[in-house]
Amino acid sequence: MWVAPLLNGARILKHRLIQAAEETFALAAGLVQRHPRHVTLAIAALLLGGTGATYAVASLAPDAAELPVRTVVETLDVIPVPISTDGLQSQRLYRSDVTRTSDTADILLKRLGVYDPQAAAFLRTDSLVQQTLMGRGGRNVTVETGEGNTLQKLSARWSPEDDGMFKRLTVEKTANGYQSRLQTLPMTASTRLASGVINSSLFAATDDARIPDAVAIQLAEIFSGDIDFHRALRKGDRFSVTYETLEGDGEPLRAGRVLNAEFVNAGKPYQAMWFQEPVTTGAAAASTASHTLTKGGYYTLAGDSLRRAFLASPMEFSRVTSGFKMRFHPILQTWRAHLGVDYAAPIGTPVRTVGDGVVEFAGVQNGFGNVVMVKHGNKNVTVYAHLSRINVRTGQSVSQGQNVGAVGQTGWATGPHLHFEFRVNGQHRDPLTIARQSESVPVTAAARPAFNQAAAQVRQQLAAAAQMLPGSAQ
């Protein structure tokens, strides 16, 4: 029953302490006003003797040893909280990388953060893994690891052919050990926008914009009839492009087709879009409302085909080292007319025919070395000389862009290159001007409404891509 008096005493003591503090502050304020110099000295003395002042204030409170102590003991009911370790045991980590030609099973797993001797032994001995993965670079690999960084699953994806399909190799841990399987699956296409500015070369600009080389090559092909990418590029030229990326399981595996593009060369814009013109197949098609698609091609946004009768170059992308002009012959040591164009390229670089035709000659001929001659119609002949190999035969029909051989150094060649000629009625012409002079075919009247609708969408896409200089986005 002594608790109530104790609380009353504490309240009285607190009230008296507050009252004493207020009176002390009022007295101090009066002293400061009347004797400021003396008060300053007093404060200094107080700071030097701070311990004693602290004791004087503290001594006003009751002694803690004299306060009563009471022990309270209560029983608490503890509610058990279940702790599950299932989440920790099933935790999975995922890592990805790209294979290298120098990879072994142990090197690949180590780079992926996998430390599993059993998995490494399986990869070393499994024939499917050895045939499709080890020693082959550029293949996307993803691993799933469990406790202790042990391998639970490995997946590798790649696209060996340009046929819209990809391969998936899976190595998975089972109750009976590791098992592997290989599947062939269809890729899916996503669309990306990109743009860039030419500072030194087309490939340097596309690299800066993170655009695949395959797309850069397509750009050069699309506009090759209007732009000489060997000699006419200028610093400050810019481009915008929309292209497909082909994916397997959501991972980009291969660049697809360029869907539309714009290239501004020396201030002049050139635009192109991919279009497939629907063509009805006659009465049967009318009765079934079905149709087939012609082979698509690139058109200007006005509807003119960019496919010319002849390509501007017999190689996808290369460097002109000697043009159609007078030059000092490196072997004969005299000034002579150079009746073709020389393209510098490594031995083995594919060479293609610039137009549809028939192989008139395929074999060895004097200074030309290994040479292929293709006749186009009744009056045009193209010549592909100094080849390291020939891939066609005399009398064979070839289509524009078809491979006819590979760059070499045969005949009177002082270094690896392709010598290319264009002859019209037996007279040599500058090959670099032929493509620009060849005719193009516009969109038909029946397909014009569908084309105009597609062209309007392309204009919007190109405008969006142009705002991204330089870079790319999905």
Side-chain angles (χ1 to χ4, degrees), residues 22 54 110 139 325 381:
E22 291 175 350
T54 304
K110 182 178 179 180
R139 301 191 172 179
K325 60 183 179 179
V381 174

Side-chain angles (χ1 to χ4, degrees), residues 255-323:
R257 177 186 294 126
V258 168
L259 301 177
N260 53 70
E262 180 181 54
F263 207 106
V264 180
N265 174 235
K268 184 177 180 180
Y270 300 90
Q271 295 175 327
M273 60 176 282
W274 173 265
F275 181 70
Q276 285 182 310
E277 185 174 332
V279 177
T280 57
T281 57
S287 62
T288 60
S290 63
H291 65 272
T292 59
L293 289 174
T294 62
K295 183 179 180 181
Y298 289 99
Y299 294 80
T300 68
L301 300 192
D304 295 324
S305 174
L306 291 177
R307 186 183 186 273
R308 305 295 177 91
F310 299 103
L311 299 175
S313 171
M315 288 186 288
E316 288 184 339
F317 205 81
S318 56
R319 179 171 58 91
V320 174
T321 54
S322 183

